[in-house]
Structure formats: C-alpha cells, structure tokens
Amino acid sequence: MSVIERLTGELSRLPGVGQKTALRLVHHLMKGAKEDTHRLARSLVDLAEKIRECRECGNFSEDELCEVCADPRRDGSVLCVVEEAYQVGAIEGTGQFRGLFHVLGGRLSPLDGIGPAELNIESLLRRVADSGGMIEEVIVATNASVEGEATAVYLEGEIRAFGPRVTRLARGIPVGSDLEYVDGSTIAQALAGRREM
Ligand SMILES: [Zn+2]
C-alpha cells in the first residue's frame, strides 16, 4: 500500500470523513508546506501520548486532573453527568454551568452488552458517597435518546439513595440528538429549566 493510500485510509475512518474527503485532504497536505504537515503530525502524536482520562471525572485531560476539576472556583455541590467527554465542551461552551462533571463513557445498551459495569457509574456513585453530602444535585445530561433516557432512569435510582437531588435537562433538546450538535443557547435553556426526576 502506498503512503498516499495508507493516509487516505486512516483519514477516511474518522467520523464525517469519507474516501473522497480523505483524498482531498491528502492532496491538500501534499501541495502545502512540509512544515505544516510536520506540525499536524506532531499534534497527533501529542494527542496520542499526552491526553488521558481525568482521575476524578473521566474528562479528557493532559494532567491527572482536568481543567474543570482543577479549578477551585467551580461549584462542587452540582455534578453534571454526560455520556461522552466531548459533551463537556458543549456544556462549557454555554458559559452557564459552574459545577463539576462526570463522564460515563457511553450509555446503557443491553443489546450491545453495555451494562452499568462497562460505564463509569461505580466511580460516580463513589464520588457522590465520598462527598459526604457536599454534592447536593446531580444533573443527568445523558442524550435525549431511548438509551440516554434509560440510563438517566437507572442513575436516578442509584443516586437518590445517597441524598442529592437528581435532575434532568429540560425538554427542548430534540429527541434523539447528541448534545454536541445542539446549539449553546438551547443547552443553556435546558440547563436553566432542568426538572426533578
Ligand atoms: Zn475532571
């Protein structure tokens, strides 16, 4: 396999990038300055080598604690639970949330063999328990899909025993949609109008 075929193949495996787009990107890189391509390659290596899961919340992080967990100005009494780490960015983008996060790493999906043990649920419950009442509210911001709803109901049952309020984002997030693709003002409204589960 040629260098060009190999890179085209790698790029076409990325979400939203088909074979055609991949080839166009490769041509663009070949025509551009070598230094630009080297810089891109270094960024990819850095990503592979330096990014890990935050010890506390499961968010992407360069250090043991992510930027959110390491920020002493954040409100430790509210925890927002999301399915994937990239959704932290969607909520951070609204500028309306000052609490902390917990990243599940997916959603309950029995048909795909994903049960509670496959997600960061135990660490979530431990976090709530260990807070000794410091965490007063858990906002379950899983997606508005069937699986996201089922995950929310499961979490509500597990968390409530420890004392905090459990809330869910308000309707307004289109059914079936991923938070990442919802605009910031809609997320902000859904946060503001969150309801008790
Ligand atoms: Zn964190």
Side-chain angles (χ1 to χ4, degrees):
M1 202 187 274
S2 75
V3 170
I4 294 173
E5 283 170 341
R6 213 165 61 223
L7 181 56
T8 306
E10 291 297 338
L11 291 173
S12 66
R13 287 168 47 205
L14 297 173
V17 181
Q19 194 71 24
K20 261 188 193 168
T21 304
L23 196 56
R24 194 145 44 85
L25 292 171
V26 172
H27 277 265
H28 177 82
L29 290 170
M30 287 189 296
K31 281 196 327 201
K34 271 195 194 331
E35 183 42 38
D36 290 347
T37 306
H38 278 297
R39 209 172 43 241
L40 174 63
R42 280 196 299 273
S43 291
L44 289 172
V45 171
D46 279 351
L47 193 70
E49 290 182 351
K50 295 183 181 164
I51 300 295
R52 51 181 154 169
E53 273 189 15
C54 168
R55 164 169 63 85
E56 189 75 2
C57 75
N59 189 10
F60 297 130
S61 181
E62 286 188 37
D63 300 301
E64 238 184 285
L65 284 181
C66 72
E67 283 179 14
V68 178
C69 289
D71 183 349
R73 291 164 303 177
R74 303 293 296 216
D75 177 2
S77 70
V78 190
L79 210 58
C80 181
V81 178
V82 293
E83 292 183 13
E84 304 289 352
Y86 60 76
Q87 293 166 334
V88 168
I91 292 178
E92 282 294 276
T94 68
Q96 299 295 308
F97 182 69
R98 299 299 307 153
L100 299 173
F101 291 95
H102 197 86
V103 179
L104 294 176
R107 64 213 66 79
L108 292 176
S109 182
L111 292 178
D112 302 313
I114 300 176
E118 277 65 48
L119 303 175
N120 298 327
I121 290 180
E122 201 191 310
S123 60
L124 168 64
L125 298 178
R126 199 174 336 114
R127 221 176 145 187
V128 173
D130 289 353
S131 84
M134 253 283 287
I135 297 174
E136 294 167 4
E137 179 183 1
V138 178
I139 304 171
V140 183
T142 49
N143 289 335
S145 62
V146 173
E147 289 164 346
E149 291 293 345
T151 306
V153 170
Y154 176 83
L155 290 179
E156 196 265 336
E158 295 290 310
I159 295 167
R160 195 168 289 271
F162 295 102
R165 297 169 60 205
V166 184
T167 55
R168 185 94 175 101
L169 293 185
R171 302 283 173 192
I173 305 281
V175 172
S177 66
D178 187 310
L179 272 188
E180 189 196 17
Y181 303 112
V182 178
D183 68 280
S185 63
T186 304
I187 296 178
Q189 272 176 24
L191 261 174
R194 62 187 184 269
R195 59 193 158 75
E196 210 80 32
M197 279 192 71

